[in-house]
Amino acid sequence: MARRLATTLLTVIAALGVATPPAQAAVDFTGTVKLSNCSGSLVRLPGSRPADKALVLTNGHCVELMKAGQVHVDQPADRTFKLLDGSGAEISTLQSTRLVYATMTGTDAAFYRLDKTYQQIQRQHGVRALELSATRPVAKAEIRIASGYWKKIYSCRIDGFVHQVKEASWTWHDSLRYTPSCDTIGGTSGSPIIDDASGKVVGVNNTGNESGGRCTMNNPCEVDAGGKITVRKGTNYGQQTFGFVACFGPGTELSLSLPGCEVAKP
């Protein structure tokens, strides 16, 4: 019955000449990039303009293994990124001019600014940047993790949110835990976590417990609000990115003093 009613409604809409909204395209490699040591993605803010210099999102640890509490802001950065098309083919090399932000404190994220605008990249290569979601993702949502380094897309769900993920000297807050089918490996660090329904980036993939170790390098543990530690061997994690939207003003300019910007500061 519901299917028949839906079909009738679409027929009426078509008769009235009203355009139906396009279906969300399946997640592919469009907008992803390959770094020398990691994965990443070409991203835009909800308010980004075509003439803005484009941004690349990856992990802070893909810049360097920073000390706890260390934050890089607006530094010169001469780095290249291989841009992928939807099929995973490398179609161009993009060049950064600045490291806009990088940290491994509270989260594990980095943003580079490129020497080209979103409009230039789209016109020259037919690739549109992925949009950062401004809202917190929800548990059990279907996600895709697209690795430009390995040219592989992982499909799973958000299993839940972790109060703290601890790995060696680093602590990350409100992390995403994946269901088992997102069995990410080295090189997938920095991959965008894409909400399958909206096509928007909700996080950045960063770590996983490889051998069952407790809160050590490559063996992160979970810590709840009461301090209880849980080790989940083989479980992988990512860091949410919606909080960064409040930290950017017009022109993809970072401003850590903006209201609602709560990321780590120097």
Side-chain angles (χ1 to χ4, degrees), residues 16 20 87 90 126 168 189 205 220 227 236:
L16 292 174
T20 56
S87 69
E90 297 178 12
S189 290
N205 177 62
N236 295 288

Side-chain angles (χ1 to χ4, degrees), residues 197-247:
S198 69
K200 295 181 181 181
V201 176
V202 297
V204 58
N205 177 62
N206 81 308
T207 194
N209 187 294
E210 295 180 0
S211 58
R214 181 183 170 96
C215 315
T216 60
M217 180 70 78
N218 300 321
N219 288 286
C221 62
E222 300 183 9
V223 184
D224 68 16
K228 179 184 176 182
I229 294 176
T230 302
V231 174
R232 299 177 188 266
K233 181 181 178 180
T235 297
N236 295 288
Y237 304 91
Q239 304 307 313
Q240 299 187 62
T241 50
F242 77 94
F244 281 103
V245 173
C247 302

Side-chain angles (χ1 to χ4, degrees), residues 111-188:
F111 289 87
Y112 287 91
R113 179 174 291 113
L114 304 181
D115 62 357
K116 291 184 177 180
T117 66
Y118 294 111
Q119 185 176 61
Q120 288 173 322
I121 294 171
Q122 189 166 358
R123 284 180 174 176
Q124 293 173 14
H125 310 297
V127 173
R128 181 177 172 82
L130 298 169
E131 182 178 332
L132 283 184
S133 174
T135 58
R136 191 175 190 268
V138 296
K140 310 307 177 186
E142 291 277 356
I143 56 173
R144 304 291 180 263
I145 301 174
S147 171
Y149 187 89
W150 290 115
K151 300 178 176 63
K152 179 175 180 178
I153 297 176
Y154 298 81
S155 300
C156 62
R157 293 176 181 267
I158 296 175
D159 186 50
F161 301 90
V162 184
H163 177 66
Q164 290 183 346
V165 167
K166 286 185 176 289
E167 181 173 346
S169 63
W170 304 289
T171 301
W172 303 307
H173 305 292
D174 201 17
S175 303
L176 300 174
R177 180 177 61 235
Y178 318 140
T179 53
S181 54
C182 281
D183 51 348
T184 50
I185 59 174
T188 64

